[in-house]
Amino acid sequence: MKFEIYAKEPNSKARAGELTTDHGKIQTPIFMPVGTVGSVKGVNQRDLIEDVKAQIILGNTYHLYLRPGMETMQMAGGLHQFINWDRPILTDSGGYQVFSLADNRKLKEDGAHFSSHIDGSKHIFTPENIVDIQRKIGADIIMAFDECTPYPCDYDYAKKSMQLTHRWLERGLKRFDETEPLYGHKQTFFPIVQGSVFKDLRIESAKTIASHDRDGYAIGGLSVGEPVEDMYDMIEVVNEILPEDKPRYLMGVGTPVNILEGIARGIDMFDCVMPTRNGRNGMLFTKNGIINIKNVKWKNDFSAIEEDGASFVDTKFSKAYLRHLIMSKEILGAQIASLHNLSFYLWLVGEARQRILDGSFYNWKNVMVQKLAVRL
RNA sequence: GGGGAGAUACCAAAGUGGCCAACUGGGGCAGACUGUAAAUCUGCUGGCGCACGCCUUCGUAGGUUCGAAUCCUGCUCUCCCCA
């Protein structure tokens, strides 16, 4: 996988680049919509391409492994074929589920022993079989199996957790390098930095991860409840160490402000459920701030969702109508809100990219950060 | 015309002498949501101070009682069955 940096913005660490995969190019910085079970919830593939302008989407190893299962996945010819998406896909390894489904699993040296949240059946994920599963899914970018360290957590736990992630990385890399893709297109493997909110651990982890020459690197274990300043600090610390000429993926982040601050600190790739999940729950992100469309003040506001918004839904429908749909729990409401939010996120990173290319990113970012956090 | 049942907060519906400003559900209002067990979850929902408290409420007018949404009487209204 090739990564080319076209411009670096002089007043920050921001970079604009291009990532080339066998399923096409990705303009960075980029936001990747989350499609956990092979579906970006509420948004079909055509709208994802034509309206949202998504360049790459996520799938999730844990979820796809449990359902529909790898037999179906292989019979389909991999996830791209299965969901009819011919652009790049990244799969998360299930490391996050080790965190979010903590009640259903036990971590051991060999891997994570867990019960399915669907039917309670018992399974084991190891760094090796997670690679095998991701081979079967066939994502362009596959992730190392890690422990997404919970927050808060004490130093000793964070250190042990990080070390486990490192040992698992060695095993995952070995399996990856010993195996081949199944569907004729190349796959690449991203290691993940951990270390919670402890600078020395983050430094150690970044160095360990960077010692492996891979196509890109991820920063995990953030946006799990820690103060946002801690998150920014950790990004700065880690990005001092990760190779400059490789893409950096900040996993699970975040709010529009988080994304701009991440870009300013040298992050190239983001993913987050926020635009879709919060959208379904009535939160809209716009250039001028956040709208809780459920608030009664929008009840009779027949103005466009966003006058100069990036999605066709923005001027097609009014706030009052969208509020009505969301209040009525209509599926269409969730769809419109998701389209709006995703389009906005993709607009945001696209605009950031342009600003980096023309050198105006830093000032623009500072203005935007103020506006984006406003509650409308 | 005869017989029966019932009227509780925005709606539905518990409560049948003190633990009732009143269960619960819906609706409404507000908040949360960051590598998706989420079209989910939480709080509030008579008034005022909003902690303690105080005031006004269970169709309506009276009555019994230390005390009533709960018991008694009149009135008004609604529903069901038989003619």
Side-chain angles (χ1 to χ4, degrees):
Chain A
M1 196 179 71
K2 196 175 78 177
F3 183 56
E4 220 174 330
I5 293 177
Y6 291 142
K8 293 181 188 174
E9 201 265 346
N11 300 308
S12 71
K13 305 275 189 195
R15 331 86 77 70
E18 187 177 73
L19 199 54
T20 304
T21 75
D22 283 357
H23 283 100
K25 294 176 186 301
I26 300 160
Q27 312 296 314
T28 64
I30 190 65
F31 177 80
M32 308 180 281
V34 178
T36 307
V37 301
S39 148
V40 175
K41 292 185 191 300
V43 183
N44 70 58
Q45 281 73 332
R46 189 187 67 185
D47 285 344
L48 220 39
I49 290 172
E50 293 179 8
D51 194 50
V52 172
K53 300 185 169 56
Q55 299 182 42
I56 170 172
I57 60 174
L58 257 68
N60 186 282
T61 304
Y62 167 87
H63 293 275
L64 293 168
Y65 160 80
L66 289 179
R67 194 164 56 190
M70 290 305 107
E71 187 183 341
T72 299
M73 192 58 67
Q74 284 186 272
M75 286 172 70
L79 187 59
H80 288 89
Q81 291 283 322
F82 186 46
I83 72 172
N84 197 12
W85 176 261
D86 62 9
R87 294 187 176 189
I89 295 176
L90 179 152
T91 39
D92 185 30
S93 62
Y96 188 76
Q97 280 62 47
V98 168
F99 159 77
S100 68
L101 304 175
D103 294 343
N104 296 337
R105 56 76 173 161
K106 262 201 190 97
L107 281 191
K108 297 186 179 173
E109 184 61 32
D110 64 330
H113 299 238
F114 65 93
S115 325
S116 159
H117 72 277
I118 298 169
D119 62 6
S121 55
K122 290 188 176 13
H123 305 264
I124 303 172
F125 276 163
T126 66
E128 291 84 7
N129 75 11
I130 281 293
V131 168
D132 298 340
I133 295 167
Q134 292 184 97
R135 288 288 195 201
K136 290 170 185 168
I137 294 170
D140 300 272
I141 301 172
I142 76 176
M143 301 305 300
F145 191 50
D146 65 336
E147 182 192 8
C148 179
T149 312
Y151 182 90
C153 102
D154 62 48
Y155 184 86
D156 284 348
Y157 186 91
K159 184 167 187 172
K160 290 199 172 88
S161 167
M162 177 195 78
Q163 289 167 339
L164 180 67
T165 290
H166 292 169
R167 290 193 297 276
W168 283 1
L169 173 64
E170 300 293 336
R171 291 164 52 190
L173 281 171
K174 182 163 184 288
R175 177 63 65 99
F176 181 78
D177 290 339
E178 288 169 356
T179 54
E180 295 292 324
L182 300 178
Y183 308 115
H185 60 267
K186 288 194 204 67
Q187 293 182 283
T188 191
F189 180 107
F190 280 18
I192 303 171
V193 175
Q194 288 290 341
S196 189
V197 292
F198 304 103
K199 281 192 184 180
D200 65 311
L201 295 183
R202 285 284 170 182
I203 289 168
E204 183 184 340
S205 188
K207 284 180 175 167
T208 303
I209 267 61
S211 71
H212 298 94
D213 183 27
R214 310 311 300 194
D215 291 335
Y217 302 90
I219 305 172
L222 292 175
S223 66
V224 288
E226 77 284 0
V228 71
E229 288 307 324
D230 286 355
M231 173 168 81
Y232 297 152
D233 287 348
M234 294 304 117
I235 297 169
E236 289 173 21
V237 164
V238 167
N239 278 353
E240 280 298 311
I241 296 163
L242 294 181
E244 245 197 304
D245 59 345
K246 297 289 175 63
R248 300 153 176 168
Y249 164 30
L250 179 59
M251 305 183 77
V253 174
T255 66
V257 170
N258 292 161
I259 287 173
L260 292 187
E261 295 294 359
I263 291 171
R265 288 165 175 76
I267 299 294
D268 306 293
M269 303 162 72
F270 302 86
D271 79 284
C272 190
V273 304
M274 203 172 261
T276 43
R277 180 191 288 167
N278 289 30
R280 288 195 301 279
N281 294 330
M283 182 180 282
L284 307 179
F285 300 97
T286 78
K287 298 181 190 63
N288 297 308
I290 295 164
I291 292 175
N292 182 346
I293 200 67
K294 293 200 277 196
N295 287 172
V296 71
K297 63 180 158 189
W298 310 116
K299 184 174 170 61
N300 295 314
D301 185 327
F302 300 99
S303 64
I305 292 170
E306 188 173 11
E307 202 50 64
D308 54 350
S311 169
F312 83 92
V313 301
D314 289 325
T315 48
K316 182 96 177 163
F317 305 113
S318 68
K319 295 184 185 77
Y321 179 52
L322 180 54
R323 177 177 195 275
H324 161 69
L325 293 175
I326 296 277
M327 294 305 283
S328 308
K329 297 181 164 51
E330 280 295 313
I331 295 169
L332 184 58
Q335 293 173 327
I336 290 172
S338 298
L339 270 178
H340 163 82
N341 279 346
L342 286 175
S343 296
F344 171 71
Y345 266 62
L346 268 295
W347 170 84
L348 186 70
V349 293
E351 186 70 12
R353 186 172 196 276
Q354 277 310 119
R355 300 281 177 167
I356 295 167
L357 290 172
D358 69 25
S360 65
F361 172 77
Y362 187 72
N363 289 334
W364 173 80
K365 185 270 286 183
N366 287 336
V367 172
M368 287 304 286
V369 160
Q370 297 300 315
K371 289 169 67 179
L372 293 172
V374 172
R375 295 271 175 166
L376 297 177

